[in-house]
Amino acid sequence: MVDRVPAGRVASYGDIAVLAGTGPRQVGRIMAGYGHLTCWWRVVRADGTSAVADRAAAYWDEEGIPYRDGRVSMRTCRWSNYPGRMTELTVRAWGTPGFAAPLEPVTVTRRELREDDVRIRIEFAGICHSDIHTMRGDWGERAYPLVPGHEIVGIVEAVGPAVTTFREGERVGVGCFVNSCGECDACLAGEISYCDEGPTPTYGGFDGEELTQGGYSQAIVVRESFVVSVPEGLDPAATAPLLCAGITTYSPLRRWGAGPGKRVGVIGMGGLGHVGVKIAAAMGAEVTVFSHSTAKRDDALSFGATRHVSTADGLPEDLRRHFDIILNTVSVDLDTAAYLGLLRFDGALVQLGLPGEPLQAPARMFTQQRRSLSGSLVGGIRETQEMLDFCATHDITAEIELIGAEHINEAYDRTIASDVRYRFVIDATTF
Ligand SMILES: [Zn+2]
Ligand SMILES: [Zn+2]
């Protein structure tokens, strides 16, 4: 049993006892007799101390097991692959019991860890507009009870035996998707958002037989390849919205080449738009915000925009043929042709929001200046990691209002009323 503990990890006598179906004392006795035949230095007391710490230290050094004063750091290197840590787990959550019903406390069951699963103790979950559309029934009926949330930050608390990227104690994030076919052209290119079979959403989708349940909960179990690392230095609560809003704006900005010398327009400065402004500015682009009122002008400028246009007065004449990229982050019906007219040669209007009506523009708006109209959906996992690293380098997080779970329904109302600067994040200790 002891030899199943991998190099660089330690187990307690109790951990081994559970595995062997015996008690910690028996394990201690057996170790005393036959321990020299095993990797004995990988077994310590539950508090990380060892009776033979002086002799073990050389092995700990060799395997990179952190310790101080003869005490191993159990938090960072305790082997989690033992029974009891891997089993199915029922956790508290907030979700809706039925179609368009308000959210209330519910429980969800997280699956027993598979080979490549990571179980995350959630710290923070952002409230995305998609959560509200889904929970209030705007996008049709789903399976219930349903727990939303796809802007998740937390700490790894257990990993399956085949997991290599993450260890217990590390801070990680999960975004909009938790699985995909893995075989289509999009998946092979790392662009899981565009999976042929449709990626599995973090909540409200089916992963095999299992209805996925999102991040408004105490814990979640996700395949390793859909988990990203949260760089140190990023505030974990304010990082949560980056897992959706961050990647959804970062991906098209990269795709259409935002950078020095480029002019970027951002339509709408809500949860999505305000992060887009920060990222585009950090990429070195000149950023203009289009917003229906002047209320957010000062914020826009402080986030890095150089100009704020209040669309209530119409679109300024001097911005015709001005932009290389315009991100439309809003879901209301706008004059697509008018915004296309603001694009210069080879410019692209990129649709991120989903308005109700079809988009319309005369064909000449495209032939002139070789403009294009496109759309973008979230982004890949590798790209999400790249985005988080970029945000850490440039000190970018979302502007948030942290709430307890009991305020979720109220936060939904306020988000719809645009009464939030700029994203609600739920403290997961309140679930
Ligand atoms: Zn979202
Ligand atoms: Zn695929």
Side-chain angles (χ1 to χ4, degrees), residues 353-381:
L354 301 171
E357 294 297 317
L359 306 179
Q360 284 193 346
R364 67 180 156 75
M365 296 310 293
F366 302 98
T367 56
Q368 286 173 5
Q369 305 298 312
R370 202 164 68 186
R371 297 174 177 122
S372 57
L373 172 62
S374 192
S376 184
L377 177 71
V378 196
I381 302 298

Side-chain angles (χ1 to χ4, degrees), residues 125-131 134 139 147-153 174-178 201-203 214-216 220 240-245 247-248 378 423:
I127 294 180
C128 173
H129 240 284
S130 310
D131 303 349
T134 307
W139 292 344
V147 172
H150 61 203
E151 298 181 339
I152 302 165
V153 166
V174 175
C176 301
F177 303 112
V178 290
T202 302
Y203 62 87
Y216 296 9
I220 191 167
L242 299 180
L243 274 309
C244 172
I247 184 60
T248 300
V378 196
R423 198 67 137 183

Side-chain angles (χ1 to χ4, degrees), residues 202-324:
T202 302
Y203 62 87
F206 280 90
D207 194 3
E209 298 282 285
E210 179 192 15
L211 172 67
T212 57
Q213 301 283 4
Y216 296 9
S217 62
Q218 294 177 304
I220 191 167
V221 172
V222 180
R223 292 182 69 185
E224 173 183 28
S225 52
F226 288 79
V227 177
V228 290
S229 176
V230 174
E232 274 184 42
L234 283 178
D235 175 70
T239 295
L242 299 180
L243 274 309
C244 172
I247 184 60
T248 300
T249 50
Y250 180 90
S251 183
L253 287 168
R254 272 274 179 261
R255 166 78 176 75
W256 278 277
K262 299 285 184 171
R263 298 171 187 158
V264 173
V266 177
I267 305 174
M269 206 176 74
L272 208 56
H274 91 286
V275 175
V277 171
K278 290 185 179 191
I279 292 175
M283 286 175 172
E286 179 194 300
V287 184
T288 300
V289 170
F290 295 89
S291 160
H292 53 268
S293 77
T294 54
K296 294 175 177 173
R297 181 188 300 270
D298 291 347
D299 284 354
L301 301 181
S302 77
F303 298 156
T306 52
R307 185 165 171 181
H308 177 282
V309 173
S310 170
T311 52
D313 312 329
L315 300 178
E317 190 61 24
D318 69 302
L319 290 180
R320 280 187 63 231
R321 300 188 178 180
H322 180 81
F323 294 99
D324 298 289

Side-chain angles (χ1 to χ4, degrees), residues 26 58 81 160 171 246 342:
Q26 282 83 341
N81 178 23
R171 179 165 285 128
L342 304 186

